[in-house]
Amino acid sequence: VSCLTAARIDCCVLANNHVLDWGRTGLEETLATLQRAGLKTAGAGREIGEAAAAAVLEPGRGGRVLVFACAARSSGVPAHWAASASRAGVNLLPDLSEATVQRIARQVHALKRPGDIAVASLHWGGNWGYRIPEAHRAFAQGLIDAAAIDLVHGHSSHHPLGIEVYRGKLILYGCGDLLNDYEGIGGQEAFRGELALMYFVDLAAASGRLAGLTMSPFRIRRFRLERAGATDAAWLQRTLDRESAGLGCRVGLRTGRA
């Protein structure tokens, strides 16, 4: 937790397939620890109301950032991990249907005010591979169309996936890992899981439309982050450009660092 506070993290999304590895007692301890440290949480809770509630962040510049978080079974979350009225757990999606989109839309519309930015943080899909299921694209686009979501933040994959801009709104289907404990585990080296990206997203406050996206490349080594070298940065750029082209986006490389 001291690492999170030192990094000035504002919100932790807990909708994932490891948050109950230490049982419901572990989840409740996690929630209490983060809340004592002043961090907002979303995506899991002591009961379904808390698990489904949005984290409301107030940057102090007018509008708020609303983080709605949930997980899909495709990411490996067991059905019995779902939160209920009397049980701690994850905000687990029943499916990726239009009915589920409409349920989320009602929740977003009940909370979102003019000037707010709404983020949907989704733990979905497998750990490896670049294919984005059509059901994921339809669901993400549906959240933008029907639920007034401004940014879709996807995760579960251990490497970055393709990027889409739909009606001016950014969809990150899979951001990959920024830091993990998979170092030394073999079998998926072709995906370069040791390479990571930090995403800096600029959204227009009035509309939530994408104004700019910069991705800074890093390398995970000895459980720490170091800046990626030019060869690794170029590999990431080529890979993301290839995977995003079919989604209507191109990814370029800017040399030098801020």
Side-chain angles (χ1 to χ4, degrees):
V1 170
S2 60
C3 292
L4 298 178
T5 54
R8 298 174 66 183
I9 300 297
D10 297 305
C11 175
C12 288
V13 168
L14 301 177
N16 63 66
N17 60 313
H18 287 292
V19 75
L20 273 98
D21 282 355
W22 294 95
R24 289 182 164 80
T25 301
L27 170 59
E28 290 168 358
E29 181 183 343
T30 296
L31 289 162
T33 301
L34 292 171
Q35 289 161 3
R36 277 198 305 271
L39 279 71
K40 301 291 182 69
T41 63
R46 298 169 185 86
E47 40 76 31
I48 185 58
E50 183 179 35
V56 180
L57 311 178
E58 301 190 35
R61 297 184 298 274
R64 306 170 300 171
V65 177
L66 314 176
V67 181
F68 299 84
C70 45
R73 290 289 307 281
S74 61
S75 68
V77 179
H80 67 273
W81 280 19
S84 71
S86 58
R87 183 178 66 188
V90 174
N91 185 26
L92 188 61
L93 296 172
D95 51 41
L96 300 181
S97 67
E98 175 63 22
T100 300
V101 170
Q102 292 300 325
R103 178 175 60 80
I104 296 172
R106 289 191 291 272
Q107 182 186 9
V108 176
H109 290 309
L111 184 62
K112 190 178 184 185
R113 303 190 301 233
D116 287 347
I117 297 294
V119 178
S121 187
L122 309 173
H123 200 70
W124 58 358
N127 293 154
W128 307 102
Y130 293 108
R131 188 183 76 85
I132 297 171
E134 283 302 315
H136 286 200
R137 290 193 70 187
F139 191 76
Q141 293 173 5
L143 290 176
I144 292 169
D145 287 337
I149 290 295
D150 300 301
L151 169 64
V152 177
H153 166 232
H155 38 92
S156 180
S157 61
H158 290 313
H159 55 85
L161 300 181
I163 296 167
E164 181 174 11
V165 178
Y166 174 74
R167 296 191 174 180
K169 304 297 179 73
L170 179 63
I171 303 175
L172 301 169
Y173 284 102
C175 289
D177 296 334
L178 182 63
L179 189 62
N180 63 33
D181 62 353
Y182 284 77
E183 195 167 348
I185 297 175
Q188 303 290 349
E189 289 84 355
F191 296 105
R192 302 294 308 274
E194 80 280 9
L195 298 183
L197 288 171
M198 187 176 290
Y199 297 78
F200 296 92
V201 182
D202 184 14
L203 303 181
S207 64
R209 293 173 66 88
L210 180 66
L213 169 63
T214 300
M215 296 171 284
S216 296
F218 290 85
R219 181 185 177 204
I220 305 169
R221 185 170 179 267
R222 296 181 179 178
F223 306 109
R224 300 179 68 177
L225 286 173
E226 58 186 36
R227 288 189 178 272
T231 300
D232 288 339
W235 186 92
L236 275 170
Q237 179 267 324
R238 289 194 306 271
T239 301
L240 269 181
D241 186 55
R242 180 194 70 210
E243 297 302 321
S244 302
L247 302 171
C249 281
R250 304 312 301 259
V251 176
L253 183 65
R254 186 172 64 195
T255 59
R257 74 187 195 196

